[in-house]
Amino acid sequence: MEESVDGEDRISELPVHIIHHILCRTNLDLREAAITCVLSKKWQYYWLSRPYLLFRQCKGNNCIPLEIFVKLIDRPLRIHVEQNLHLAKFFLAYRDRELDPYLDHWIESAIKVNVLVLVIHAPDIDSSYYSLPDVVYDAKKLNTLWLSRCKFEFDISTTHIRFCSLVALFLYNVHISDAQMQSVIDKCPSIRNIRVLACKGMSKLYVVGRLHLHSLAVLLCKLDSVIVEAPKLESFSYTECIDQGNFHPCKIDILDGNNTLQTLELTGSSITDQQFRDVFHKFPNISVLHLTRCYKLKYIEIQSEKLNKVILSKLDSIKKIMIQAPNLSQFDFEGDKMPFLSMDSSSLERARLNFFLPRTVISNFGDVDSSWFTNLNHFVQNFKYSKGLMLVIFCRKVLSILFVPLIYALLVEFGFKLCHWQNSCRPKTSLFMKIQEKFLFHQVIMSRYSLYPS
């Protein structure tokens, strides 16, 4: 390898902003960034002044001792404050509760230099939380706040919240009251993304008047009601909390906006058939629908020009599904029985059926309700005029003698032939059907590449 002219050290000649860009884009943590100091004398302190400060006390089973970890955080933060350096992100994940008193000072230092992204992961080793200092609420330049195992303890009557630049709020296992949550949301005029997971202290969530909110996810929070009024909302996800083995019912009301809702995901929701119809009538632009364990749904009827993707999983009470969506390209269904299912399959590119048979069927496949096979027969007829259809079947070996002949008889009627799975010759349209249990499986793959029976 040819040596550089006059021993030129090109690494040391890189501009400061380029060096910081390299250190940030590689997403190095504290120890990894510190190693770069050996590259040249000029790089010796750049890892301390980089705009992304990421501190993880533990990596796998290896943890930095408390005293060393404190010094490693103190030094770069002190440099940023003394030199008034730009701090784009401050990330801290720690294990020792003894760090809580230091954390107040570190957060204050980060906010003093106008940190943009603040991420705090407090330890999840007991029932206690890290109490946020009041200085957090004065972070006027902060655009992303991500908290885990933290507690809001501010007084809503005396604390002035200045989250005027906040666009993303992520709360995981955080303790916050209804009034505190309402106060935080009301002081975020630019908020675009809110995600709350397994948070304590709340019984209701009202998100009203947020003109820029695009995404809202409420997951595993024990709430009695969720009311949303956001004219630009595009995505709403809700997962109902399980309380003493049962789902905790919650009233969900997404008020009329500008028909911008495109993604709807509900898990464990107590939504009824009528409420579901009302949602689709109110938001005709939904393109992605994901329903899991919605235990009150019995009849799903959808008519939509925009619907593109449907995932239905473990809807134990479902009896009938009718989907008239000419632009539907993906349909996934998972459950222990086959409901009556009718759909417009003209644009469908993939369908996946995943069945978990009841335990009684393991010993006697004849225990399956006859409507199961009848409904499956009806479903396959939806694809009678589909070119390039593939059906994949998985079932326990012990059931194959009983089950596979039934499937063969069904498929021969509609012109399928046995083939082998090859990634290079997958047809555009595919129907996957899995019949499975926990143990041994064998695979039967059939496909149809032409319109007429072979």
Side-chain angles (χ1 to χ4, degrees):
M1 180 176 178
E2 185 179 351
E3 294 184 1
S4 59
V5 179
D6 297 329
E8 180 182 2
D9 183 1
R10 294 187 178 182
I11 291 181
S12 296
E13 295 303 318
L14 288 173
V16 175
H17 71 280
I18 296 296
I19 297 176
H20 282 160
H21 182 74
I22 293 172
L23 292 174
C24 294
R25 286 297 298 269
T26 50
N27 203 30
L28 302 175
D29 64 17
L30 181 68
R31 288 176 288 188
E32 293 167 337
I35 296 174
T36 62
C37 69
V38 303
L39 295 176
S40 75
K41 290 183 178 180
K42 189 175 179 180
W43 281 58
Q44 187 171 357
Y45 299 106
Y46 283 146
W47 67 276
L48 295 170
S49 61
R50 64 185 181 140
Y52 279 47
L53 296 181
L54 311 179
F55 303 101
R56 296 183 180 88
Q57 187 180 13
C58 299
K59 196 169 185 178
N61 294 324
N62 299 319
C63 295
I64 303 175
L66 179 65
E67 297 78 9
I68 298 176
F69 193 58
V70 170
K71 293 179 180 179
L72 289 173
I73 299 176
D74 274 338
R75 189 180 180 191
L77 271 179
R78 186 175 64 253
I79 291 175
H80 276 76
V81 172
E82 291 174 352
Q83 301 181 20
N84 195 26
L85 299 178
H86 170 62
L87 184 57
K89 182 176 182 178
F90 180 77
F91 174 101
L92 175 62
Y94 65 102
R95 183 197 64 177
D96 291 326
R97 278 289 176 196
E98 292 79 4
L99 285 170
D100 286 1
Y102 298 96
L103 196 52
D104 291 358
H105 172 67
W106 294 335
I107 291 176
E108 182 179 2
S109 299
I111 292 175
K112 186 177 293 185
V113 292
N114 294 320
V115 64
L116 301 179
V117 178
L118 179 62
V119 183
I120 304 295
H121 291 287
D124 189 13
I125 56 178
D126 52 34
S127 59
S128 60
Y129 294 85
Y130 165 66
S131 297
L132 290 170
D134 287 345
V135 69
V136 169
Y137 313 115
D138 197 35
K140 291 177 284 190
K141 299 294 184 180
L142 193 67
N143 64 45
T144 300
L145 180 61
W146 187 315
L147 302 174
S148 174
R149 293 295 300 181
C150 297
K151 186 176 184 179
F152 289 79
E153 290 193 314
F154 67 90
D155 187 338
I156 61 173
S157 62
T158 59
T159 302
H160 298 286
I161 299 176
R162 297 180 176 88
F163 287 155
C164 51
S165 301
L166 199 69
V167 297
L169 178 64
F170 305 106
L171 304 179
Y172 294 85
N173 202 353
V174 164
H175 194 286
I176 184 170
S177 69
D178 292 335
Q180 289 170 336
M181 187 67 178
Q182 193 65 52
S183 183
V184 169
I185 293 176
D186 289 345
K187 299 301 180 181
C188 301
S190 303
I191 196 75
R192 295 170 58 90
N193 190 351
I194 299 176
R195 186 178 183 88
V196 293
L197 168 64
C199 291
K200 307 293 191 299
M202 294 191 301
S203 62
K204 59 186 178 182
L205 178 62
Y206 294 166
V207 183
V208 179
R210 296 303 87 195
L211 300 179
H212 303 285
L213 186 65
H214 283 195
S215 176
L216 175 63
V218 184
L219 314 173
L220 300 175
C221 299
K222 190 176 178 180
L223 301 176
D224 297 323
S225 63
V226 175
I227 297 178
V228 184
E229 183 183 19
K232 295 183 180 180
L233 188 68
E234 296 179 357
S235 174
F236 177 75
S237 301
Y238 177 79
T239 298
E240 204 155 90
C241 177
I242 297 179
D243 182 24
Q244 296 181 350
N246 298 311
F247 286 110
H248 180 79
C250 175
K251 179 184 177 182
I252 302 174
D253 194 1
I254 307 176
L255 304 180
D256 289 331
N258 296 328
N259 292 330
T260 56
L261 191 66
Q262 299 176 18
T263 300
L264 178 63
E265 299 181 1
L266 300 176
T267 300
S269 171
S270 55
I271 189 170
T272 64
D273 294 344
Q274 184 59 50
Q275 290 170 339
F276 180 78
R277 286 191 291 269
D278 292 343
V279 167
F280 258 85
H281 177 73
K282 195 174 355 181
F283 301 102
N285 291 319
I286 293 177
S287 60
V288 178
L289 175 67
H290 190 167
L291 303 177
T292 301
R293 296 188 182 277
C294 296
Y295 49 91
K296 288 189 177 182
L297 283 180
K298 295 181 179 180
Y299 302 97
I300 294 179
E301 297 180 15
I302 302 174
Q303 290 186 348
S304 173
E305 295 287 335
K306 299 295 181 67
L307 192 61
N308 177 260
K309 178 181 178 180
V310 174
I311 300 176
L312 306 177
S313 178
K314 301 175 182 178
L315 306 179
D316 295 340
S317 301
I318 199 70
K319 295 182 179 179
K320 186 176 182 180
I321 302 171
M322 299 189 68
I323 302 176
Q324 296 301 318
N327 294 307
L328 184 66
S329 64
Q330 178 181 336
F331 176 79
D332 289 10
F333 178 85
E334 180 181 77
D336 60 1
K337 59 184 177 182
M338 181 70 188
F340 178 84
L341 202 159
S342 176
M343 67 170 61
D344 182 348
S345 61
S346 56
S347 298
L348 201 64
E349 296 180 2
R350 194 196 82 173
R352 181 189 297 269
L353 305 183
N354 192 355
F355 297 105
F356 295 89
L357 300 180
R359 282 285 177 180
T360 55
V361 180
I362 302 305
S363 57
N364 183 11
F365 189 77
D367 291 343
V368 176
D369 192 318
S370 61
S371 64
W372 188 95
F373 186 75
T374 302
N375 292 338
L376 178 61
N377 189 321
H378 178 84
F379 177 72
V380 173
Q381 291 185 48
N382 287 292
F383 304 90
K384 192 170 184 178
Y385 301 102
S386 298
K387 292 184 179 180
L389 181 65
M390 177 173 287
L391 176 62
V392 180
I393 304 168
F394 293 91
C395 65
R396 274 187 83 200
K397 286 184 176 181
V398 70
L399 300 179
S400 61
I401 296 177
L402 295 170
F403 177 73
V404 174
L406 296 177
I407 297 297
Y408 269 56
L410 170 65
L411 298 176
V412 167
E413 179 181 353
F414 296 106
F416 288 83
K417 58 183 179 181
L418 185 65
C419 73
H420 298 285
W421 181 272
Q422 293 181 356
N423 291 332
S424 60
C425 66
R426 290 186 187 181
K428 178 183 178 182
T429 304
S430 57
L431 167 64
F432 298 86
M433 187 177 72
K434 257 197 264 186
I435 312 295
Q436 68 177 47
E437 227 280 326
K438 291 183 178 180
F439 307 105
L440 301 175
F441 304 96
H442 82 284
Q443 180 174 315
V444 178
I445 303 176
M446 300 180 139
S447 69
R448 180 176 62 207
Y449 293 98
S450 60
L451 180 62
Y452 302 103
S454 58

